[in-house]
Amino acid sequence: MGIVAGLDSSPDFTRIVVCDTDTGTVLRQGYAPHPVEGAEGGGRPSDVDPQAWLLSLGEAAGGGLLEGVQAIGVSAQQNGLVPLDAQGGTVRPALVGGDRRAQVAAADLIDALGGREAWAQAVGCVPQAAQPVTKLRWLSRTEPEAAARTAVLLQAHDWLVWQLLGRPARRTTDRGGASGTGYWSPATGAYRPDLVELALGHQVLLPEVLGPSEAAGTTPEGLLISAGTGETMAAAFGLGIGLGDAVVSLGASGSVMAVHPEALVDSTGMITSLADATGMHLPVVSTLNAVRALRGAAELLGVPDLESLSELAMKSTPGAHGLVLLPYLEGERTPNLPHTAGTLAGLRRESMRPEHLARAAFEGMLCGLADALDVLRGRGVDVRRVFLLGAAAELPAVQAAAPALFGAQVVVPQPADYAALGAARQAAWALGASQGTLDPRLPPVWGGPAGQVLEPGEELAVGQAVRQQYVSVREQTHPGAFRS
């Protein structure tokens, strides 16, 4: 009946998908990189002029891409903090990314409120360097003049929505984005302005938190703009995950998230309690070591790429002839062992072969993520199906082992712009709710992603034996690592 657009402003580029409102079928697509200077040493800069996001958006939407579109949804990188002055101007470039500069500030904030459990009780998470609340602390300590001028706080998707609407007096966000700030509680659905003051030193204006199907406003041209959300929540919405589903992301580090009906408070700090884009909750558990463990093994074995490592691993058998790799190469967050190193156990003459070490690397990575899944399961989160994301999800060694080690059906969706699709689905929901054609409590039903479906099948018992072998080594090496 109509068409909507979803745009995803990631750290490096903007993607736009134009979709059929009823089915979610992608009709047109746009793409443009962000015009951002590289940081010293080739890394991603931690300070970015938000105008770069607008320039990229304009380029991606060129050529009449948005012609006929009735509503737009915005997804953007999480943890980006845009401090504004009283007139709406940017006080300084946006603070984005993990931003290691803020690590000391995170430790300061944890102590200032009385420890990790106090933060978990307050906002469902413990401050980390990436979070806006921690960046505020860094700003107040390092750039006090900029901190003093800061009167309004927005995140990346808030700022883009505000710009698309012509910079109105009303500024908005959504509960998904708000839940990642460190100063909004998913459990109560309310801001904690006292935590903003603790971090920044004074009170500021915070954006109004919209409901999942509410619109942020309408442009002068009549284009409806939905609430927008963070990339993680948009990707989950684009995948169409629901109760019983989890998403395991394989990057250099890993993350596990699942849909749950209530906010979880975790005194250990292993669970970050986020809200999703539908009114539910999205608890997340992260690991520091995922694909980096595979790359390390490939370098050690002298194979050129992960495909070759996978091929080598497939020559071994489940359990890798007793070899177990605890892949804590950068320390670890789950379990909380920040200063430890990796461990290779079970060395015997017959196991000292390249294929067994390759297999142990894959099994170690997946068992570490299974540990993260168990943190959620241990808090009552139902996990029956796991969506496996990331380029490494395509590797045969991952697909062979993951279902049995996770103890669940595994879906490897075809690569797609799921965050942009989620933003478009949100736009369709807001449009339908505003027109009275959709229930504001129920999102539009779009087709699920195409992909491979892998079942544990007869391998389940073997996989659980491999998992137990891993857990035994972990408990011997780091006894009680998962106790509160």
Side-chain angles (χ1 to χ4, degrees):
M1 297 295 291
I3 57 175
V4 292
L7 70 88
D8 176 40
S9 181
S10 83
D12 300 311
F13 54 79
T14 300
R15 287 195 190 278
I16 301 177
V17 295
V18 176
C19 301
D20 179 273
T21 308
D22 295 332
T23 66
T25 302
V26 177
L27 308 173
R28 303 190 289 271
Q29 301 183 63
Y31 167 86
H34 290 332
V36 176
E37 294 282 329
E40 289 182 29
R44 182 178 294 137
S46 295
D47 292 340
V48 174
D49 183 349
Q51 293 296 328
W53 307 333
L54 276 185
L55 291 169
S56 175
L57 192 166
E59 187 179 340
L65 184 77
L66 300 180
E67 189 174 332
V69 164
Q70 296 164 278
I72 294 179
V74 178
S75 154
Q77 59 183 301
Q78 281 160 245
N79 299 320
L81 179 68
V82 188
L84 303 179
D85 61 24
Q87 289 72 45
T90 49
V91 168
R92 67 174 319 283
L95 291 151
V96 299
D99 208 341
R100 295 192 172 202
R101 297 177 298 184
Q103 286 176 336
V104 172
D108 283 350
L109 277 178
I110 293 170
D111 291 343
L113 195 64
R116 300 169 68 85
E117 186 166 0
W119 278 96
Q121 292 288 345
V123 287
C125 62
V126 177
Q128 298 153 19
Q131 285 181 298
V133 71
T134 307
K135 289 169 177 168
L136 290 178
R137 181 73 157 197
W138 178 87
L139 190 64
S140 71
R141 295 288 187 266
T142 313
E143 300 178 8
E145 290 183 10
R149 289 172 48 219
T150 299
V152 182
L153 297 178
L154 297 179
Q155 293 186 85
H157 78 83
D158 309 337
W159 187 85
L160 283 166
V161 165
W162 185 56
Q163 295 291 329
L164 289 171
L165 290 172
R167 298 163 60 100
R170 180 190 189 219
R171 299 175 181 90
T172 61
T173 189
D174 87 306
R175 54 194 295 282
S179 68
T181 59
Y183 44 80
W184 184 86
S185 168
T188 64
Y191 281 117
R192 287 289 302 265
D194 57 314
L195 299 183
V196 175
E197 188 166 358
L198 180 71
L200 187 62
H202 61 90
Q203 295 287 345
V204 294
L205 289 173
L206 299 169
E208 178 187 341
V209 181
L210 300 176
S213 63
E214 286 186 80
T218 305
T219 68
E221 299 77 29
L223 193 63
L224 183 138
I225 309 294
S226 64
T229 196
E231 268 188 322
T232 296
M233 299 80 187
F237 197 38
L239 282 165
I241 67 170
L243 291 172
D245 291 334
V247 177
V248 173
S249 296
L250 301 177
S253 54
S255 70
V256 175
M257 63 180 177
V259 179
H260 197 56
E262 60 188 32
L264 296 179
V265 174
D266 174 43
S267 61
T268 69
M270 282 192 288
I271 298 175
T272 297
S273 191
L274 299 176
D276 77 350
T278 74
M280 300 286 275
H281 293 269
L282 207 59
V284 179
V285 180
S286 299
T287 68
L288 288 180
N289 301 278
V291 175
R292 65 164 43 99
L294 301 184
R295 297 204 182 281
E299 290 169 12
L300 182 65
L301 291 168
V303 296
D305 50 41
L306 297 187
E307 289 73 20
S308 303
L309 186 72
S310 172
E311 191 177 328
L312 190 59
M314 293 299 283
K315 294 176 181 175
S316 180
T317 53
H321 272 244
L323 273 191
V324 174
L325 176 67
L326 301 183
Y328 305 157
L329 308 185
E330 299 280 332
E332 190 46 80
R333 276 188 60 189
T334 307
N336 185 29
L337 299 166
H339 306 299
T340 194
T343 301
L344 185 63
L347 281 170
R348 298 182 184 274
R349 177 64 190 86
E350 61 270 21
S351 65
M352 295 177 72
R353 297 184 59 82
E355 62 267 30
H356 302 323
L357 178 55
R359 180 87 187 197
F362 280 96
E363 290 179 347
M365 174 189 76
L366 292 170
C367 284
L369 290 160
D371 277 350
L373 272 171
D374 281 354
V375 170
L376 294 178
R377 284 174 165 142
R379 294 299 307 279
V381 178
D382 184 23
V383 178
R384 293 178 306 237
R385 181 171 64 162
V386 173
F387 286 81
L388 201 54
L389 303 185
E394 302 286 341
L395 296 172
V398 169
Q399 296 190 4
L405 292 177
F406 292 161
Q409 182 189 82
V410 169
V411 179
V412 183
Q414 289 182 354
D417 301 318
Y418 289 109
L421 284 167
R425 190 178 175 207
Q426 187 194 62
W429 193 6
L431 180 66
S434 72
Q435 295 174 338
T437 57
L438 282 178
D439 187 331
R441 297 164 298 177
L442 296 172
V445 178
W446 285 6
Q452 295 173 271
V453 178
L454 310 168
E455 299 284 356
E458 295 177 359
E459 296 296 312
L460 182 60
V462 174
Q464 295 311 294
V466 172
R467 182 80 200 292
Q468 188 54 50
Q469 176 179 270
Y470 177 91
V471 169
S472 296
V473 171
R474 171 171 44 71
E475 277 299 300
Q476 288 166 13
T477 313
H478 305 288
F482 276 103
R483 288 182 205 139
S484 300

